[in-house]
């Protein structure tokens, strides 16, 4: 550990101890968050609507406040954008994280209150470093630069009272100036709108710097890494940044990209740490390098509930349950109540707990992104592991993929069609498809049952994509960079058909 990191590291010790206590104090911490949220918002329009002053505990809260999605909250958020104060959260809210979703062209504007910034988003960044320092005591984290690849939209005014932008841009606008001492690239570069020009500017601004850490979404960070290597005339990233030691990643599953990162960063010193940071809040951190599960962060001004999912995208009609009632191995749709004014909000993600007390989980997909056309209930975590297996056995490297059902009405059955863009193609597409199909049957019993003797499902079909197909699709839709990505699964063929039409 270098002298600067050695001096700064003790500042994180207290927080490390608090996180260690999550396993014993989970219920108390979550109840404290709920009391804080209800008390803080009791005099808002929302709090008066549901008589927060009369709510004495969780059961009353669950009975009185209905589940919400963005469409339900949109009229209230619109009032906040227009300058009305004390609507969903106390005071006037001036910042909004703009999120168009992956398939919906209409923008969502998620309130970013000072409380959610401080208690959640910035606390998550602090804890990410705290846990990394605990796990890697020989780090030189504070002696070098950290490269953060953010979104593609700089903050812009919604009106004279409110501004919006990608979450990363909003965070950057409100960031402690001291953080800029160890961050690259320059602020004016990271806030550039035009993605391709921004990549060029980031490369020129950073390729000669001494970078120790990377932060961003795996798919887009790969674009930057390859541009850096091309500019430097090198084959691997340690040749450019010899002190690089960690990649903090999130936004999409990392497994389909792991092989590419290991090839471009062939270093025993390299660490990978997953984070669960969304426009709505910061929710989880990988606290153990040997375990891919993330620790649920309990004291960020967020109260969690969970609904067991009977099938992907269709939660059971049963009521939501609090954190202490969840079980391992069950798929849950996650419900959040936050200091950003989101009340019992369906965030759209599904998770599965791998342990309780402490509560650790993996993200299994989106409630909108799945395939269940034939009762197969295929989720994103199945496909990520299946792709990984197929790559390992065939030597392929996958850049991006998406899948959708194909209905064969004349045979009263169907199959899954996959469009896959390869970094390194397999020797045989048919072999790749067979290995993938077998892996999915091993990973998902419902898929295996429908594939048995081809009762409902024929073997899946893999269609190779031309180079840059997915990049061009995102560019066409104005979604380059940031948190934008092509959904890996869809019950609809709309996206797949559009990709096929461009695949020439």
């Amino acid at each position: 550990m270098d002298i600067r990191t050695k001096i700064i590291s003790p500042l994180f010790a207290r927080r490390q101890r608090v996180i260690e206590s999550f396993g014993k104090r989970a219920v108390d911490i979550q109840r404290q968050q709920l009391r804080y949220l209800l008390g803080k918002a009791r005099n808002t329009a929302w709090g008066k609507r549901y008589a927060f002053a009369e709510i004495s505990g969780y059961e009353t809260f669950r009975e009185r406040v209905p589940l919400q999605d963005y469409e339900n909250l949109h009229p209230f958020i619109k009032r906040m954008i227009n300058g009305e104060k004390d609507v969903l959260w106390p005071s006037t809210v001036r910042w909004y994280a703009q999120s168009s979703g992956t398939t919906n062209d209409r923008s969502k504007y998620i309130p970013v209150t000072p409380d959610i910034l401080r208690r959640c988003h910035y606390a998550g960044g602090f804890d990410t470093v705290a846990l990394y320092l605990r796990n890697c005591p020989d780090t030189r984290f504070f002696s070098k630069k950290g490269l953060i690849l953010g979104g593609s939209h700089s903050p812009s005014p919604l009106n004279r009272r409110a501004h919006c932008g990608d979450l990363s841009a909003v965070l950057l606008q409100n960031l402690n100036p001291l953080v800029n001492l160890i961050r690259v690239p320059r602020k004016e570069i990271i806030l550039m709108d035009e993605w391709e020009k921004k990549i060029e500017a980031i490369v020129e601004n950073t390729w000669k710097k001494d970078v120790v850490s990377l932060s961003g979404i795996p798919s887009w960070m790969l674009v930057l890494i390859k541009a850096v290597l091309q500019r430097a005339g090198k084959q691997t990233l340690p040749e450019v940044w010899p002190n690089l030691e960690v990649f903090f990643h999130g936004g999409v599953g990392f497994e389909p990209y792991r092989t590419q990162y290991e090839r471009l960063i062939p270093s025993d010193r390299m660490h990978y740490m997953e984070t669960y940071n969304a426009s709505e809040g910061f929710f989880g951190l990988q606290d153990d390098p040997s375990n891919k599960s993330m620790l649920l962060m309990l004291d960020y001004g967020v109260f969690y509930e969970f609904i067991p999912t009977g099938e992907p995208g269709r939660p059971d009609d049963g009521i939501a349950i609090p954190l202490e009632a969840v079980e391992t191995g069950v798929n849950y749709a996650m419900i959040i109540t936050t200091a950003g004014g989101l009340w019992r909000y369906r965030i759209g993600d599904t998770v599965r707990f791998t342990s309780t007390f402490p509560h650790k989980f993996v993200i299994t997909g989106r409630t909108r992104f799945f395939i269940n056309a034939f009762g197969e209930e295929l989720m994103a975590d199945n496909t990520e592991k299946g792709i990984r297996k197929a790559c390992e056995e065939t030597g392929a490297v996958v850049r991006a993929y998406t899948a959708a059902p194909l209905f064969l009405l004349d045979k009263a059955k169907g199959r899954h069609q996959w469009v896959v863009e390869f970094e390194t193609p397999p020797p045989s597409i048919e072999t790749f498809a067979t290995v993938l199909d077998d892996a999915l049957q091993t990973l998902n019993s419902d898929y295996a049952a429908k594939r048995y003797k081809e009762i409902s499902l024929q073997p899946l079909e893999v269609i190779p994509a031309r180079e840059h197909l997915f990049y061009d699709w995102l560019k066409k839709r104005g979604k380059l960079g940031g948190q934008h990505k092509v959904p890996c699964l869809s019950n609809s063929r709309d996206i797949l058909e559009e990709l096929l039409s461009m695949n020439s």
Side-chain angles (χ1 to χ4, degrees), residues 17-86:
R17 292 192 295 270
V18 171
I19 295 172
E20 287 289 341
S21 73
F22 279 6
K24 297 180 180 179
R25 301 181 54 241
V27 177
D28 289 341
I29 293 172
Q30 275 290 277
R31 290 297 192 260
Q32 289 171 7
Q33 303 308 300
L34 182 58
R35 287 194 296 271
Y36 159 75
L37 294 164
L38 292 171
K40 186 85 172 182
R42 64 190 302 173
N43 292 320
T44 63
W46 189 266
K48 293 176 181 177
R49 177 177 182 149
Y50 292 106
F52 279 6
E54 300 174 4
I55 296 178
S56 58
Y58 171 65
E59 294 299 329
T60 308
F61 173 70
R62 181 171 62 181
E63 293 170 2
R64 181 166 296 178
V65 183
L67 295 172
Q68 308 292 322
D69 53 29
Y70 185 80
E71 285 67 29
N72 299 136
L73 294 180
H74 179 255
F76 297 88
I77 293 174
K78 187 175 181 179
R79 289 164 57 185
M80 297 165 69
I81 291 173
N82 288 333
E84 187 175 341
K85 66 178 182 178
D86 301 334

Side-chain angles (χ1 to χ4, degrees), residues 123-144:
F126 185 91
D127 286 352
T128 301
V129 177
L131 291 175
Y132 180 68
L133 293 174
R134 184 197 67 183
N135 294 330
C136 303
D138 59 343
T139 178
R140 304 179 67 187
F141 187 83
F142 290 107
S143 68
K144 313 296 179 184

